[in-house]
Amino acid sequence: MKKKQMSKEIWLLLISMTIVGLFIVLVTSYYGKIMKNAGVSADEASHVYQHHYEMIVDKRNLTFWNAVYENAREEALKNDAILEIKGIESADDFSKSDYMDMSIAAQVDGIILEYNGESGLQEKIDEAVGKGIPVVTIVNDAPKSLRQSFVGINDYQLGQEYGALVAKLVDSDTERVMILLNREQELGQNQLYAQINSAIKNTGCENEIKIQSRNILFQSQFDTEEEIRSIFQAEEGPPQILVCLDEVTTECAYQALIDYNMVGEVKIVGYYTSKTIMDAVGKGLIPVTISMDVEQIGTYSIGALTEYWEVGRTNSYYTVDLNVITEESSK
């Protein structure tokens, strides 16, 4: 009887040890995956970090977001934290709200989010904050949410800069200006529209220039290309000035400009400084492009989370520099 009891106890002990072993393997595998996604080296992976942050950005593989992430990741490591990125280079169909759900469920120590006005996303920000997870929005803000901080340039400042650039491009042939928005927002409520409209009026141009907008929120570059082509193929023709607010839209607009032989007829106000865009600016095919400082976006966003955990609060707004590049300044 004692042997049977001992045998049963041994089996229970073995089963318990097996379960514990499997749990350790699963945890190690999960942690290892986080380390790999965060770009942490083998030597660094052995270190137990104080904080785990996640960055959620556009699904399109942009050099802009790669640059932001690399600067943020380096700053995170300096502050005893690892940073994992979600969305970029992803082949799945998850929305930003889905990624927010994953980050909340994983109980990360902070979320850096590129806000785009997606339905339900503001509520996800509030949910995360309500569960003790600080959220920092970057590039595009969600001022009505409970986010702790915003890193970027507000719409008023950005609108002033775009307005000044558009005003310089307006001439007697200008009839229409189109703004390609990269988030859900009504044009009438957009500071970009207000500032561009004001700048055009101050040029004293006698033409009545129409300002239009299109929302470009597609997750794939192919969809964006198709949308841009539809603008160039429209019965009324493309606008004389096309204002782009992200890298992919700028590159797609530039390609359409070449494909439809519209160089000189359509003036593109571009965004960011990818090789393709800078080559076009250098050749005078894109008159001007602007870009937020990617190093500042990355370091300030981590700085906001670090400050939150160290002192329990952080600045609500971090302003980054805006660079304007023309054919002359690119040389």
Side-chain angles (χ1 to χ4, degrees):
M1 194 70 169
K2 283 186 177 181
K3 286 185 178 181
K4 285 185 178 180
Q5 187 174 352
M6 287 180 63
S7 178
K8 185 177 180 181
E9 289 175 351
I10 291 171
W11 274 109
L12 286 172
L13 179 62
L14 289 173
I15 291 171
S16 298
M17 290 175 65
T18 302
I19 292 172
V20 171
L22 286 172
F23 177 75
I24 293 172
V25 169
L26 287 171
V27 169
T28 303
S29 175
Y30 175 71
Y31 189 70
K33 185 179 179 182
I34 291 175
M35 294 293 121
K36 182 179 179 181
N37 290 341
V40 176
S41 66
D43 293 336
E44 294 169 330
S46 60
H47 176 75
V48 178
Y49 290 88
Q50 186 176 2
H51 295 296
H52 171 207
Y53 303 141
E54 290 189 345
M55 177 181 284
I56 302 172
V57 298
D58 201 308
K59 289 184 180 180
R60 295 177 293 188
N61 184 1
L62 306 181
T63 53
F64 176 83
W65 287 121
N66 278 321
V68 170
Y69 171 65
E70 282 305 313
N71 283 287
R73 187 184 73 84
E74 290 177 11
E75 187 67 15
L77 292 175
K78 292 177 187 175
N79 289 277
D80 200 23
I82 58 166
L83 177 66
E84 186 180 4
I85 192 166
K86 288 183 176 178
I88 200 166
E89 296 181 338
S90 178
D92 54 50
D93 295 321
F94 293 130
S95 66
K96 281 193 171 81
S97 293
D98 292 331
Y99 283 123
M100 286 291 291
D101 283 334
M102 295 177 198
S103 297
I104 293 169
Q107 297 181 320
V108 297
D109 300 306
I111 298 171
I112 299 169
L113 172 69
E114 178 214 3
Y115 184 74
N116 66 349
E118 176 185 304
S119 178
L121 192 55
Q122 179 174 306
E123 289 75 15
K124 293 300 178 183
I125 295 174
D126 294 347
E127 180 184 345
V129 174
K131 293 184 178 179
I133 302 173
V135 177
V136 175
T137 54
I138 54 176
V139 178
N140 296 322
D141 196 12
K144 295 181 180 179
S145 72
L146 297 177
R147 59 93 173 128
Q148 269 72 25
S149 188
F150 167 62
V151 178
I153 297 175
N154 66 41
D155 282 354
Y156 179 80
Q157 293 173 298
L158 193 60
Q160 280 194 317
E161 195 65 56
Y162 270 113
L165 297 175
V166 169
K168 290 179 181 178
L169 298 177
V170 168
D171 57 29
S172 58
D173 295 323
T174 305
E175 296 178 354
R176 288 187 297 130
V177 174
M178 182 175 287
I179 306 170
L180 301 180
L181 301 174
N182 58 357
R183 54 183 148 156
E184 289 288 0
Q185 192 171 44
E186 293 296 326
L187 183 61
Q189 300 173 353
N190 195 305
Q191 283 289 344
L192 281 171
Y193 167 79
Q195 298 306 315
I196 290 174
N197 184 52
S198 176
I200 289 175
K201 286 182 178 179
N202 290 334
T203 63
C205 182
E206 296 181 358
N207 296 349
E208 187 174 338
I209 299 172
K210 185 178 182 181
I211 303 176
Q212 303 170 308
S213 75
R214 292 278 281 269
N215 278 308
I216 308 291
L217 285 171
F218 302 113
Q219 299 297 348
S220 73
Q221 183 165 332
F222 175 78
D223 289 336
T224 303
E225 288 172 355
E226 289 299 301
E227 183 73 5
I228 298 295
R229 288 183 182 279
S230 72
I231 293 171
F232 275 79
Q233 291 177 315
E235 187 176 342
E236 61 182 339
Q240 286 71 48
I241 299 176
L242 200 56
V243 179
C244 302
L245 302 183
D246 63 51
E247 176 190 345
V248 166
T249 304
T250 303
E251 292 186 354
C252 291
Y254 170 57
Q255 188 59 53
L257 184 79
I258 301 299
D259 292 344
Y260 293 104
N261 195 25
M262 290 284 184
V263 174
E265 296 181 42
V266 177
K267 300 170 186 175
I268 297 173
V269 179
Y271 185 88
Y272 195 51
T273 54
S274 68
K275 185 179 185 307
T276 298
I277 295 170
M278 289 303 291
D279 285 346
V281 172
K283 295 173 183 176
L285 301 177
I286 291 180
V288 62
T289 188
I290 69 175
S291 179
M292 294 184 198
D293 190 304
V294 293
E295 181 177 352
Q296 290 179 351
I297 296 171
T299 55
Y300 290 174
S301 59
I302 295 298
L305 291 174
T306 302
E307 186 178 6
Y308 174 84
W309 286 114
E310 288 181 350
V311 300
R313 57 179 174 75
T314 186
N315 293 337
S316 61
Y317 184 48
Y318 290 79
T319 303
V320 301
D321 293 334
L322 192 65
N323 303 312
V324 178
I325 304 100
T326 61
E327 182 180 1
E328 293 73 25
S329 65
S330 68
K331 294 176 180 178

